[in-house]
Amino acid sequence: MLSQLQDIMPAYACKVVVRFLTVLCFYAYFRCDAVPENSDIPAIAEYFTTKGRYEEVNPHLIDDILAVNRSILQPPSAQCREVHVTAIVRHGTRYPTGRNVKKMQSFYELVKSSPSGRESWLQEIQSQWRMWYTEDMDGRLVQKGVDDLRHLAVRLSKLFPSMISEEKLRAGRIKFATSSKHRCVNSTLSFKAGLAELWGIPGEEIQHTINDALMRFFEKCTRFVEEVERNTSALSEVEKFTQRPEMVRVREKIADRLRVPYSTITNESAEAAFYLCAYEFAIRTVNSPWCRLFDQVDAQIMEYANDLKQFWKRGYGHDINSKSSCILFHDLFGRLEKAGSDHRSGVEVAEAVTVQVGHAETLLPLLTLLGFFKDADRMTSTNYAAQTGRSFRSGRIVPYAANLVLVLYDCGGDDLRLQPLLNERPVKFPGLSDQEVSMPRFQDVKELYRELLQGCDFESECRLVKA
């Protein structure tokens, strides 16, 4: 635009126009330099926590959904070869649960009955937008979720072509397990379909098993259920935060934008409004008018409120949160150990690849048990300002289709290496120093988790001890 102005007017006049445009932009709804490259993406999309798209974690996939970069693997030597791959995957994008649909419906009715809006976004909600979510959708996988897992399957096959291969799939050396929930079963079917389409294999020939003991351990852990899930005081910090000035101001700003009394907007109302923005984007890729109820500051506070809940219910808030995943932890390391042992003995590794599909509630406790994303200070209702740089951000850790991949390598002799990847990016095991390109010796990893490997008994940890 500047070059065009320079072609048709003198330099001094061009400077005047540019200065005018700069001032105009400053007073606009957002600054010119803050305009997103893709206006279809809400400016607050990165704050949608567990309702966020996988593409916000890996933006390069927006341009090429099948893009991979094998250079991120970087084994310590050229002779390193993959022995075993385990992927623990969250289901793909889903509809809201029936409970959240009720909240969204109630808020929609409130907005429809509020004073007519002068703003175009409010007029659009009140006169054009229709409530299309129904309770019977109840968390089911959407088409975007089907694509999430199909595309992930193709990308992982490109990332590990010697392991996730036609030969191993036809030989039954790629195993699949899933939670019994329909969104997980359908995600598993979608992942298998992604591979089947690559090599022209009938999908029904690829078997999977349902294993809630591993993928839904949290509901099998009596101590967790009683002390956290059903204990109202377990999330007291979350409740306290709803009464803090930060959240009060978010609700007041929503009320101001709708021109309704402050008392009209409850915490559930704010949550429902945020859900409407997040779901419209995740499911339909729409930058919805609902998103205009929040600015960046509001969205960051809403993100903190949700992360606070995840912290106290699935993360570091209570010890049993992570210990409830002991059964999955031992299953994971047991398979790695067996694969390494078989390989060293010259025996074919029967289970070359394992794909296990579960929930955010499956991944977060396991990652917590492994020590990932542990900040120096605990998240509380009173330290929001001090937590702006925290690593515990659920939208970065467990968006839809989130995945933890562990790859065991044979680098010659007794040199077995283990590389962890989260959402297709290498991460380092917390507590291990001097790691070679995020691929430490398997023996060092086992030493790091020695106490857990020797203990962390699911039955013992989950037994409810009565006072």
Side-chain angles (χ1 to χ4, degrees):
M1 179 178 178
L2 181 57
S3 61
Q4 292 174 328
L5 288 171
Q6 289 172 330
D7 290 340
I8 62 175
M9 64 177 66
Y12 72 89
C14 180
K15 290 179 180 178
V16 171
V17 173
V18 170
R19 181 170 295 180
F20 170 75
L21 290 173
T22 301
V23 173
L24 184 64
C25 286
F26 180 81
Y27 288 104
Y29 181 72
F30 41 68
R31 302 191 324 273
C32 279
D33 63 2
V35 176
E37 290 185 7
N38 187 341
S39 61
D40 291 334
I41 300 177
I44 61 174
E46 66 175 291
Y47 306 113
F48 289 158
T49 64
T50 57
K51 309 296 187 292
R53 295 192 312 172
Y54 193 74
E55 288 87 339
E56 266 54 68
V57 176
N58 289 302
H60 65 278
L61 298 178
I62 295 173
D63 293 327
D64 182 359
I65 197 63
L66 299 180
V68 298
N69 178 13
R70 275 185 55 81
S71 66
I72 63 172
L73 302 178
Q74 296 182 343
S77 69
Q79 65 184 19
C80 293
R81 295 291 180 267
E82 294 102 334
V83 173
H84 176 81
V85 174
T86 279
I88 302 174
V89 185
R90 185 193 177 193
H91 59 75
T93 307
R94 62 168 175 81
Y95 287 117
T97 61
R99 180 170 172 269
N100 284 339
V101 169
K102 286 183 179 179
K103 293 181 184 179
M104 292 155 61
Q105 176 71 47
S106 177
F107 184 68
Y108 170 60
E109 296 297 335
L110 169 66
V111 175
K112 277 186 66 179
S113 62
S114 65
S116 298
R118 294 185 296 270
E119 300 88 348
S120 60
W121 61 268
L122 185 51
Q123 290 176 357
E124 182 179 345
I125 291 175
Q126 292 178 327
S127 63
Q128 299 177 37
W129 197 87
R130 294 291 179 267
M131 182 65 185
W132 63 278
Y133 299 99
T134 58
E135 290 182 43
D136 60 358
M137 290 175 173
D138 198 26
R140 294 184 180 276
L141 202 68
V142 302
Q143 182 58 48
K144 173 64 166 63
V146 171
D147 295 339
D148 288 339
L149 272 292
R150 284 178 53 249
H151 294 147
L152 176 62
V154 174
R155 290 197 304 273
L156 290 182
S157 72
K158 292 168 69 176
L159 201 55
F160 304 106
S162 67
M163 299 299 293
I164 304 178
S165 65
E166 178 180 1
E167 176 191 4
K168 286 184 174 60
L169 187 63
R170 289 187 183 276
R173 295 176 63 200
I174 302 179
K175 307 292 186 181
F176 298 88
T178 176
S179 151
S180 62
K181 289 291 183 179
H182 42 67
R183 55 185 169 272
C184 294
V185 173
N186 288 332
S187 291
T188 305
L189 295 175
S190 300
F191 191 102
K192 293 194 300 183
L195 298 183
E197 291 165 8
L198 275 178
W199 302 304
I201 302 173
E204 59 272 14
E205 292 184 7
I206 310 171
Q207 303 300 311
H208 69 265
T209 60
I210 291 175
N211 193 334
D212 281 342
L214 288 180
M215 296 293 97
R216 293 183 63 80
F217 52 76
F218 43 88
E219 66 181 9
K220 312 288 183 182
C221 183
T222 305
R223 186 177 152 217
F224 169 77
V225 171
E226 295 300 323
E227 293 184 359
V228 179
E229 187 77 41
R230 296 178 182 170
N231 181 4
T232 54
S233 66
L235 301 183
S236 60
E237 288 298 313
V238 181
E239 179 60 30
K240 290 176 185 176
F241 187 66
T242 66
Q243 306 308 316
R244 291 282 302 171
E246 298 93 342
M247 275 299 297
V248 171
R249 185 62 188 133
V250 169
R251 295 195 294 270
E252 289 177 347
K253 287 165 74 175
I254 292 174
D256 287 341
R257 288 165 182 141
L258 295 176
R259 290 185 290 280
V260 298
Y262 287 165
S263 60
T264 308
I265 304 301
T266 64
N267 191 59
E268 280 202 350
S269 301
E271 189 178 57
F274 204 57
Y275 285 158
L276 280 161
C277 171
Y279 280 119
E280 287 288 274
F281 180 57
I283 297 173
R284 305 171 69 187
T285 321
V286 171
N287 189 348
S288 162
W290 293 105
C291 298
R292 296 295 294 275
L293 283 167
F294 302 90
D295 59 28
Q296 185 180 35
V297 172
D298 303 329
Q300 289 171 336
I301 294 168
M302 294 298 295
E303 177 196 35
Y304 188 79
N306 192 283
D307 284 351
L308 193 62
K309 180 180 179 181
Q310 299 299 329
F311 180 89
W312 286 95
K313 193 171 184 179
R314 306 294 177 186
Y316 293 99
H318 302 286
D319 182 63
I320 189 57
N321 295 348
S322 61
K323 292 295 179 63
S324 66
S325 71
C326 285
I327 189 170
L328 182 58
F329 169 85
H330 280 292
D331 174 78
L332 171 62
F333 274 85
R335 276 183 288 104
L336 289 168
E337 184 67 43
K338 187 175 188 310
S341 176
D342 287 349
H343 180 76
R344 285 193 300 266
S345 302
V347 178
E348 181 181 76
V349 178
E351 198 166 327
V353 179
T354 303
V355 179
Q356 299 173 307
V357 180
H359 309 261
E361 297 92 335
T362 307
L363 270 170
L364 263 182
L366 179 64
L367 289 166
T368 301
L369 187 67
L370 294 171
F372 287 100
F373 308 106
K374 186 174 185 179
D375 296 296
D377 298 317
R378 291 162 70 81
M379 293 179 69
T380 69
S381 58
T382 59
N383 65 352
Y384 166 72
Q387 289 282 347
T388 54
R390 68 187 182 279
S391 62
F392 192 91
R393 293 185 64 197
S394 59
R396 312 299 296 178
I397 304 169
V398 284
Y400 291 124
N403 52 90
L404 172 65
V405 176
L406 289 148
V407 189
L408 187 66
Y409 287 85
D410 175 10
C411 293
D414 291 328
D415 190 13
L416 287 176
R417 302 277 178 150
L418 186 64
Q419 181 174 48
L421 298 97
L422 183 67
N423 301 326
E424 300 172 71
R425 294 170 179 262
V427 289
K428 293 187 177 183
F429 287 107
L432 274 186
S433 59
D434 193 29
Q435 297 185 43
E436 291 185 71
V437 289
S438 304
M439 197 178 291
R441 294 172 61 244
F442 184 39
Q443 190 60 40
D444 293 339
V445 177
K446 289 190 292 184
E447 182 60 28
L448 173 67
Y449 297 119
R450 179 168 52 86
E451 290 186 10
L452 290 173
L453 288 167
Q454 292 176 354
C456 198
D457 178 69
F458 180 81
E459 297 298 331
S460 300
E461 297 291 349
C462 291
R463 185 179 302 120
L464 188 63
V465 179
K466 295 183 179 180

